[in-house]
Amino acid sequence: MIKDALAEEFASWFRCLSDPTRIRILNFVARTGRALTVAEIVKEVGKSQSTVSRHLQVLAAEAFVVTKPDGVRTLVSVNTECMSALPEAAACIMGTQPCPEPR
């Protein structure tokens, strides 16, 4: 049985990913393989800068993306640890692999 703390952590991750715009943003950032400016992301997803920035805040709070100031702009890159942690979480939830200890 999955422990409460781990269930809460995983639920928070999946809540973060429950928005289609966040999925599109994360996919775009991950596919490019480099740090992107917010303006590049805005152009790709076709949403306003304020909307994209708010979604990036949520993604950063769950550590799906990493943001770094670069002068007057912000650079956004994917947190590569998520590339393995998210599939492992799904496997744990579905019972196909042991669950890790909560972080």
Side-chain angles (χ1 to χ4, degrees):
M1 173 68 70
I2 199 168
K3 294 182 179 177
D4 287 346
L6 192 58
E8 286 293 329
E9 182 178 357
F10 290 167
S12 184
W13 293 359
F14 287 100
R15 256 190 315 276
C16 174
L17 296 175
S18 69
D19 185 284
T21 300
R22 280 189 219 121
I23 294 290
R24 291 182 62 222
I25 290 169
L26 185 57
N27 176 257
F28 178 59
V29 174
R31 279 186 305 111
T32 61
R34 65 178 174 84
L36 298 167
T37 65
V38 174
E40 289 174 300
I41 298 167
V42 166
K43 183 177 178 185
E44 175 69 18
V45 299
K47 302 287 183 182
S48 71
Q49 188 273 332
S50 61
T51 297
V52 168
S53 291
R54 178 64 191 127
H55 285 300
L56 287 170
Q57 287 174 336
V58 175
L59 288 165
E62 289 298 331
F64 284 109
V65 297
V66 177
T67 59
K68 181 177 124 183
D70 182 46
V72 296
R73 58 191 192 160
T74 299
L75 296 177
V76 180
S77 56
V78 73
N79 177 355
T80 56
E81 290 180 21
C82 294
M83 304 273 195
S84 61
L86 194 58
E88 288 170 2
C92 164
I93 292 165
M94 298 307 294
T96 61
Q97 87 177 36
C99 295
E101 288 300 314
R103 296 166 205 220

